Amino acid sequence: MVLVFMLLLLIIYPVGGAIVAFCGMATVKTHYLGFAAGAAAFFALLGYFFVPTHEVDLTRYYTIMQQFEYMQPSYRDIVAQNGIFSGAYFIFKWLSVFKNQQLLPALVGFVVAFAMFDIIMDTFRRYDVPSTTRCFILAVVLGMFPFASAYSNVRNVMGGAIVAIAIYRDVVKGKRTPLTIMLYIIGASLHMATMVIIGLRLLLFLQTKKHFSIKIALVIVLGLLFLIPNVRFEFMRIVVKGNEYVNADGQLSTYATYVTQSLFMRLTKLLYFLITILVTIATIVNTRVHRNDWNLFSLLLCALTLISFAITLPVYFRLLCVLLIIGSTQFLQILCLTTQPGTLQSAVWRSGILGLAIIALVANVITFNQYSPLITALQNVFTFTFIS
């Protein structure tokens, strides 16, 4: 009944429907996919009213969409120019038909938020999490997650969110179905950084003692694929691009200077470094108590993210959004399984998590205003209705 009311309200007044969805996520133990989609509608709407005031990745994609409006390229042309990472350009092509560029950040907001809520809601169900802890985790994750950066970044964050769903279905649910494989492919096609996250999943698979014959077959297939010139070319693209970011070569040197001199950028990096450390500690503690593939994968992702902070450019952000989504499940484990509710240990964890979430929320509000006027966006969101 609550789900039906939410759907009707989403049609009439989207924010009202999203509020009902959040209430459903916090209290109802069924229909979690529906509530996840309803709550994600709020961030889709916020993305729709996200209007950059200066040049970012999103404005560059707007230019591409404008070009596609006047001259639609064929799928063959897109693949010839972008190779296996053509997924985002397919999306640009499809959305350009509507001649409304704001649909792009709206789509990013929906996909990223849905991925986050889908994984969190399923974890709620598996651990039978009480409403108070549900509200706490939702508030923490929404405070920590940098939605403004997600809207402006587009490809990497959306691809990472889709890959996160695929890995969760694969590792936790054991659903190695065509849908899971398709999610892996779609996520990988959006940005090359997602290949690193998928690589961690392959590494996790190879280190297990089971499925020896499948591992041999996988190594052979990967070796044969590397004999294909196009595959070698795409691999070298990833290596060259990674080297450029690590060494801040070429045009990136100017941006590296800005990042080094910007106090806010340095403080933001420090903040997310501390959050990553907190997620890492939680994951280590959880892994010692509950050693499973999901915790081991989370540990690999934490380690790689921590290493990425050593790079001058904010490369860490390419892993951070996935880490925050996965980190929510680690926080849930530490609060619901690893520690006993009501104990001093649980209270310390809650205080540390909440403290960093509040600081991150302040930083994210400032960041949002640097990209787009937040108050104006919120006014538009809360006054928007499909029925005039």
Side-chain angles (χ1 to χ4, degrees):
M1 191 66 184
V2 178
L3 183 64
V4 175
F5 177 66
M6 179 204 75
L7 292 173
L8 290 174
L9 199 53
L10 279 172
I11 298 172
I12 300 171
Y13 181 54
V15 170
I19 292 173
V20 173
F22 279 113
C23 293
M25 290 171 66
T27 58
V28 181
K29 297 182 179 181
T30 56
H31 309 300
Y32 66 92
L33 278 178
F35 289 126
F42 175 85
F43 296 97
L45 204 56
L46 185 61
Y48 186 80
F49 293 111
F50 179 83
V51 182
T53 54
H54 59 276
E55 185 176 353
V56 291
D57 286 347
L58 179 60
T59 56
R60 179 160 54 88
Y61 302 143
Y62 282 170
T63 302
I64 295 174
M65 290 175 66
Q66 287 176 340
Q67 294 172 351
F68 285 2
E69 287 179 16
Y70 295 102
M71 187 175 65
Q72 281 281 346
S74 66
Y75 292 109
R76 179 178 297 181
D77 291 337
I78 291 176
V79 173
Q81 186 173 358
N82 302 285
I84 62 175
F85 304 111
S86 299
Y89 296 89
F90 290 160
I91 293 175
F92 301 157
K93 175 181 171 68
W94 298 330
L95 292 182
S96 65
V97 174
F98 299 99
K99 300 185 185 300
N100 186 346
Q101 298 168 359
Q102 292 306 122
L103 291 176
L104 180 58
L107 177 64
V108 173
F110 181 84
V111 170
V112 172
F114 178 79
M116 180 193 305
F117 296 144
D118 175 39
I119 292 173
I120 290 175
M121 286 291 288
D122 189 71
T123 309
F124 286 168
R125 178 187 60 79
R126 289 191 301 112
Y127 297 162
D128 194 22
V129 179
S131 296
T132 51
T133 305
R134 290 186 180 206
C135 292
F136 178 81
I137 288 296
L138 288 172
V140 163
V141 173
L142 292 178
M144 289 183 175
F145 200 88
F147 276 99
S149 300
Y151 293 139
S152 63
N153 182 279
V154 181
R155 294 193 303 142
N156 173 57
V157 178
M158 186 160 58
I162 294 172
V163 167
I165 294 179
I167 293 176
Y168 187 85
R169 287 173 56 86
D170 177 6
V171 176
V172 177
K173 294 184 175 181
K175 292 184 176 180
R176 299 174 180 91
T177 61
L179 176 58
T180 302
I181 295 172
M182 185 181 301
L183 289 171
Y184 272 125
I185 294 172
I186 294 172
S189 72
L190 292 176
H191 197 280
M192 63 178 63
T194 58
M195 299 294 287
V196 177
I197 301 171
I198 295 174
L200 294 179
R201 173 63 186 107
L202 288 175
L203 182 62
L204 177 66
F205 174 72
L206 291 174
Q207 66 86 35
T208 58
K209 297 180 180 180
K210 301 178 181 179
H211 311 297
F212 180 76
S213 59
I214 298 178
K215 293 176 186 176
I216 296 298
L218 179 62
V219 172
I220 292 173
V221 169
L222 291 175
L224 291 174
L225 285 174
F226 204 73
L227 296 176
I228 302 173
N230 287 344
V231 174
R232 290 203 304 273
F233 174 75
E234 295 295 347
F235 177 77
M236 289 308 300
R237 278 181 63 194
I238 297 174
V239 173
V240 170
K241 195 71 174 178
N243 183 66
E244 287 179 359
Y245 275 97
V246 170
N247 299 310
D249 292 336
Q251 296 178 347
L252 293 174
S253 60
T254 303
Y255 183 51
T257 303
Y258 164 73
V259 169
T260 304
Q261 295 177 348
S262 172
L263 177 61
F264 181 74
M265 292 286 284
R266 297 204 304 272
L267 290 176
T268 301
K269 186 175 184 176
L270 175 61
L271 169 64
Y272 280 111
F273 178 69
L274 293 176
I275 290 175
T276 303
I277 288 178
L278 188 65
V279 174
T280 304
I281 295 173
T283 305
I284 292 172
V285 174
N286 290 330
T287 304
R288 291 177 62 184
V289 179
H290 309 282
R291 187 179 178 85
N292 53 52
D293 285 348
W294 178 248
N295 287 343
L296 290 174
F297 172 79
S298 301
L299 201 56
L300 289 173
L301 182 61
C302 287
L304 187 60
T305 306
L306 284 173
I307 292 172
S308 70
F309 279 97
I311 301 172
T312 302
L313 293 172
V315 176
Y316 68 89
F317 185 77
R318 303 187 182 282
L319 301 170
L320 179 69
C321 291
V322 178
L323 179 85
L324 292 176
I325 293 173
I326 289 176
S328 64
T329 67
Q330 295 300 327
F331 289 155
L332 276 167
Q333 279 191 66
I334 205 79
L335 296 178
C336 297
L337 298 182
T338 307
T339 64
Q340 292 294 324
T343 62
L344 177 62
Q345 188 179 13
S346 177
V348 170
W349 272 106
R350 285 178 181 269
S351 300
I353 294 170
L354 183 60
L356 284 178
I358 292 172
I359 298 172
L361 177 61
V362 174
N364 287 332
V365 169
I366 295 173
T367 302
F368 199 110
N369 270 310
Q370 288 180 340
Y371 286 121
S372 175
L374 177 59
I375 299 300
T376 302
L378 289 175
Q379 287 175 342
N380 290 329
V381 167
F382 280 90
T383 56
F384 179 82
T385 177
F386 287 111
I387 300 176
S388 56

